[in-house]
Amino acid sequence: MFNMFFKQQTEFEKALSNSSILNNKPSLSIADLKHLIQGFPQQSQSMCRTPQSIKKTFQTFFQALPEKTSFRVKLKVLATCHVLLEDGIHGQQFSESLLSWNGFRIKQNNISNIGFRDKNQDQEKFVQMYQEMLKRFAYGFDLLRIAKSQQINSSNTTIDCTYYYKAINLLNHIFSYSQFIKYVFETVQELIVGEILLLIWNDVIATYLFIEKIIFQFLVDYQIIQASIFFQLNGLIPEFIRLTSQIQKFYESNQNFLNLKQFKAPAWKIIDQKLLQDLEKQNQTLKLQNAKDRLTKKQSSKASSLSTLYSTPQHQTAKSFLFGNTTFGYIKRLSTLNDPFDDIEEMTQGFKI
């Protein structure tokens, strides 16, 4: 009966519960994150036991998380997840485990006093927002990996803009919470909130620079690249201008905190009006050229179809049949070695016209 109520903790669960991840202290230790990836090995056993796989370690981690815990611990767990997503070796495997986790249960509190914010409700909303954001980071793991490695550029003969539109959608999602993030940071006195903001900023700026790089390579090469690539990348320009404005606001809203962390403001690149006008001229020129090319191709295709029609055996047979009773038809018959009037059936068909 005793064991039914008190389940014995495994060594992993004990180590996790005693770590900075689940204790109620305000800070999170990087050493504990490293030990987590190693499965919290005991020094006395580390040399003799067979280590469990990293996939099993991540599964065990999520299974060992408490269902109910404090706001601070929830944020420390989520920040741990964010750091592990960034891991260059195990990030992909961790993203798969994270996507199978349902997350912390969010309590839906009712606001009893209209006009007054409920602190607990804001905290729950922040946890929910961060969980959703991490899920998006996990779904877009390949995008963030490519963005941080800057693997794609406009010198490629073909460009798949899918990643760029995914990057735009990701930033749009984050910026939709800008005001709420600012409010929580200013009102919730938790050190971990500031650390989370830095983690989010790390992904935001990497994704933005990923888009910025292709845009400014495009602005250098737009007069010489293929029309199809021009149209794809030119379509990103309005989104990039809008995102530049939003990321500046996102940065400035947390400027005091970033100054304390000795962050320097990025050198924002702005596309001037003259260049935008030149892009529009090039856009119209290429559209006109494409229209002319399509018309020429259509006319050429039509002429080719007519030529093919008059050279097909079916058309030749039909022509012989139609002209069977004309002078031309008789001359053609007389050019053969056989008696032109021996083919009674063809003559009969000819007269039926």
Side-chain angles (χ1 to χ4, degrees), residues 5 22 51 78 88 102 119 132 135 137 143-144 175 233 238 251 255 267 269 280 291 312 330 333 337 344:
F5 289 98
L22 291 188
L78 294 177
N102 293 327
K119 181 180 178 181
E132 291 176 358
K135 292 281 186 176
F137 290 154
L143 164 66
L144 290 172
F175 293 151
L233 296 180
Y251 175 84
Q255 190 171 15
K269 295 181 180 179
E280 182 56 28
T312 57
Y330 286 115
R333 291 163 187 268
L337 296 176
I344 304 302

Side-chain angles (χ1 to χ4, degrees), residues 4-260:
M4 290 176 62
F5 289 98
F6 298 96
K7 179 184 175 183
Q8 186 175 3
Q9 282 188 316
T10 64
E11 292 298 323
F12 182 95
E13 290 171 335
K14 288 180 182 178
L16 178 61
S17 62
N18 293 327
S19 72
S20 62
I21 300 171
L22 291 188
N23 68 27
N24 209 37
K25 294 181 181 179
S27 59
L28 187 62
S29 170
I30 295 296
D32 285 340
L33 302 187
K34 292 180 179 179
H35 290 150
L36 168 61
I37 294 178
Q38 297 168 358
F40 290 114
Q42 301 296 310
Q43 290 186 351
S44 59
Q45 299 175 350
S46 59
M47 299 300 294
C48 59
R49 75 167 188 168
T50 302
Q52 63 182 355
S53 68
I54 193 68
K55 182 177 181 179
K56 180 63 177 176
T57 296
F58 293 148
Q59 290 174 344
T60 305
F61 167 67
F62 285 114
Q63 291 168 358
L65 292 177
E67 291 186 7
K68 296 181 180 181
T69 187
S70 67
F71 172 65
R72 176 184 290 173
V73 171
K74 286 178 182 178
L75 291 188
K76 288 166 70 177
V77 169
L78 294 177
T80 297
C81 293
H82 202 152
V83 173
L84 293 179
L85 280 173
E86 304 284 340
D87 185 77
I89 299 175
H90 309 297
Q92 176 72 65
Q93 289 174 300
F94 185 78
S95 69
E96 295 170 2
S97 298
L98 177 61
L99 289 173
S100 64
W101 179 50
N102 293 327
F104 292 112
R105 293 180 181 178
I106 305 301
K107 293 180 288 186
Q108 300 297 329
N109 297 329
N110 294 321
I111 300 178
S112 56
N113 298 318
I114 297 175
F116 295 91
R117 300 194 71 128
D118 186 303
K119 181 180 178 181
N120 291 331
Q121 188 181 50
D122 286 337
Q123 290 179 350
E124 291 294 309
K125 182 179 177 182
F126 188 78
V127 171
Q128 184 177 32
M129 177 213 74
Y130 194 27
Q131 286 184 165
E132 291 176 358
M133 200 176 289
L134 290 176
K135 292 281 186 176
R136 283 181 174 257
F137 290 154
Y139 276 120
F141 181 83
D142 288 340
L143 164 66
L144 290 172
R145 177 178 53 81
I146 291 173
K148 290 173 182 178
S149 63
Q150 302 287 299
Q151 290 181 3
I152 300 180
N153 57 64
S154 63
S155 62
N156 295 340
T157 55
T158 60
I159 292 181
D160 181 4
C161 280
T162 303
Y163 279 116
Y164 295 104
Y165 284 108
K166 285 182 177 179
I168 290 169
N169 289 336
L170 179 61
L171 291 179
N172 284 336
H173 176 76
I174 295 173
F175 293 151
S176 68
Y177 289 110
S178 292
Q179 290 303 313
F180 180 65
I181 291 174
K182 178 183 178 182
Y183 167 78
V184 171
F185 174 70
E186 291 175 347
T187 57
V188 178
Q189 302 302 314
E190 288 285 353
L191 178 64
I192 192 63
V193 174
E195 298 302 322
I196 287 171
L197 184 61
L198 281 176
L199 290 170
I200 294 174
W201 172 254
N202 183 50
D203 290 319
V204 163
I205 192 63
T207 306
Y208 173 80
L209 292 176
F210 171 63
I211 303 172
E212 182 191 74
K213 180 180 179 181
I214 194 69
I215 291 296
F216 279 86
Q217 283 186 343
F218 164 66
L219 294 178
V220 172
D221 301 332
Y222 77 91
Q223 292 178 314
I224 59 174
I225 62 177
Q226 298 175 11
S228 59
I229 297 177
F230 175 91
F231 291 132
Q232 289 184 69
L233 296 180
N234 191 53
L236 297 176
I237 295 291
E239 292 292 336
F240 173 74
I241 294 173
R242 185 178 55 78
L243 288 175
T244 300
S245 175
Q246 289 186 315
I247 195 173
Q248 285 176 306
K249 292 177 182 177
F250 187 84
Y251 175 84
E252 290 167 1
S253 67
N254 305 291
Q255 190 171 15
N256 293 332
F257 177 76
L258 296 176
N259 284 341
L260 291 175

